[in-house]
Amino acid sequence: MDLDAVRTQFDREMRRDARPDGPGCTVERVGDVVRQTGPAHAWNGVLWSGLDAARADAAIAGQVRHFTALGLGFEWKLYAHDHPRDLGGRLRAAGFTAEPEEALMVADAEDLARTGRSAGIPEGIVVRPVMDEAGVALVTEVHERAFGIDASDLRRQLLDRLAAQPDTVAAVVALDGDRPVSSARLELQPGTRFAGLWGGGTVEEWRGRGVYRALVAHRARIAAERGYHHLQVDASALSRPILARLGFAQVSTTTPYAYVP
C-alpha cells in the first residue's frame, strides 16, 4: 500500500470533499476551511483547512464566531501534516483545548476481511447487528461502561442515522448472554473509498480476550462486501498496537482541538 497516496486520497475524499455524516448536518467550504454544522448532539467542527501563517488566525476567529453564534461547541480536527506547522499553537491561543493525540491508521478492507476470518468470536459471545432503539441502548450502555463518559449524544446520532440513512452506518454489539460487553460501528460514505471504524469499546472484564479483534474483522467483511477499498480508524494508544498486529498502518496523527463557547 502506498501510504502517501492513501493519505492524499483520505484528505481529498473524507476531509476536503466531505459529505455530511448525519441527518440535519451540512458541510460547507468557507474560504480555506471545510466545516460541518449540525444539531447540538451531532459532530460539529472543522474537517479540513488549507491555511498559511498569514490567514490562519483570521480563519480560526471566523469559525469561533460561526459556531458561537449558534451556541455550539465544536472541534477543529488537526492532522500532523496540516499547515501552517504552528496551527495547534494558534488554536490553543484562541481558546481551544487539545485532546489526546490519535493515530490515523488504514488497512486494505479486502485483505483484512480475508485474514480476519481467523479472528473467531470468543466462546460464549454472540455478535448481533444493531437495527433498532433496543440495540442502540445496548451500544450506549457499552460505551458508557467502557469509556466512562455520557453517551447520550451517540445514542441520538445512531437513532437519527438508522432512521434516515441506514446505509451509512453498521453498528454491532457483542453479548455475553443478554449482557452487552462490546460494541462498535462502521461509518460508510457512499462514493468514497473509505469506511471508518468508530466507537470500538469493550468493558473491562472482557478486554484482552479477542472481542475487539473479532469486531474489527466483522466490520472489515461488511466494508469489503459493500465495495469499500480502505478501512480508516483514529486509534487511541490502547488500540494502536492491536490494529498494527491486524495489518493497519499509520499514515498520520490527528489531535482534536475542542472549543466550548
Side-chain angles (χ1 to χ4, degrees):
M1 184 186 300
D2 184 336
L3 297 182
D4 288 338
V6 170
R7 185 178 66 196
T8 298
Q9 290 175 350
F10 177 82
D11 280 349
R12 181 176 64 251
E13 294 183 6
M14 307 304 291
R15 302 181 65 204
R16 194 184 67 197
D17 298 333
R19 298 160 173 81
D21 70 359
C25 297
T26 59
V27 171
E28 57 188 339
R29 182 165 182 167
V30 182
D32 299 301
V33 172
V34 175
R35 70 189 178 206
Q36 174 169 291
T37 307
H41 64 273
W43 185 87
N44 287 279
V46 173
L47 293 152
W48 177 87
S49 64
L51 301 170
D52 58 24
R55 294 171 293 158
D57 291 338
I60 292 169
Q63 301 316 306
V64 170
R65 286 194 300 271
H66 168 75
F67 287 103
T68 299
L70 298 172
L72 296 171
F74 73 106
E75 179 183 295
W76 191 300
K77 197 144 177 63
L78 178 65
Y79 289 77
H81 55 282
D82 288 346
H83 294 277
R85 291 301 185 189
D86 65 347
L87 186 52
R90 292 172 185 265
L91 290 168
R92 288 191 295 272
F96 289 75
T97 301
E99 297 181 352
E101 180 184 89
E102 299 165 322
L104 173 61
M105 304 184 78
V106 296
D108 184 280
E110 288 191 359
D111 286 349
L112 190 56
R114 183 173 57 255
T115 60
R117 295 185 189 282
S118 61
I121 307 299
E123 186 176 354
I125 293 293
V126 175
V127 176
R128 291 183 181 169
V130 172
M131 309 293 291
D132 54 21
E133 189 169 357
V136 171
L138 296 175
V139 171
T140 303
E141 179 183 335
V142 170
H143 206 79
E144 292 183 339
R145 289 172 57 203
F147 300 113
I149 60 175
D150 180 6
S152 55
D153 284 351
L154 171 62
R155 176 182 176 277
R156 294 183 65 185
Q157 290 168 20
L158 271 177
L159 289 173
D160 285 352
R161 292 180 76 164
L162 287 172
Q165 300 171 342
D167 60 330
T168 68
V169 63
V172 293
V173 61
L175 298 167
D176 174 19
D178 60 358
R179 187 165 179 256
V181 298
S182 186
S183 66
R185 67 187 188 277
L186 180 72
E187 296 195 356
L188 306 161
Q189 289 293 346
T192 73
R193 297 174 178 85
F194 294 86
L197 303 183
W198 296 95
T202 304
V203 300
E204 187 172 1
E205 60 268 31
W206 269 92
R207 290 174 189 164
R209 298 164 69 175
V211 184
Y212 178 88
R213 294 191 299 275
L215 293 190
V216 170
H218 181 87
R219 288 175 290 168
R221 289 192 290 273
I222 295 173
E225 288 167 1
R226 298 194 187 183
Y228 288 85
H229 293 228
H230 305 298
L231 293 171
Q232 169 264 322
V233 60
D234 293 346
S236 68
L238 184 64
S239 59
R240 200 173 305 168
I242 302 172
L243 293 167
R245 288 194 293 271
L246 291 174
F248 282 79
Q250 182 172 329
V251 298
S252 188
T253 61
T254 178
T255 303
Y257 280 81
Y259 188 93
V260 179

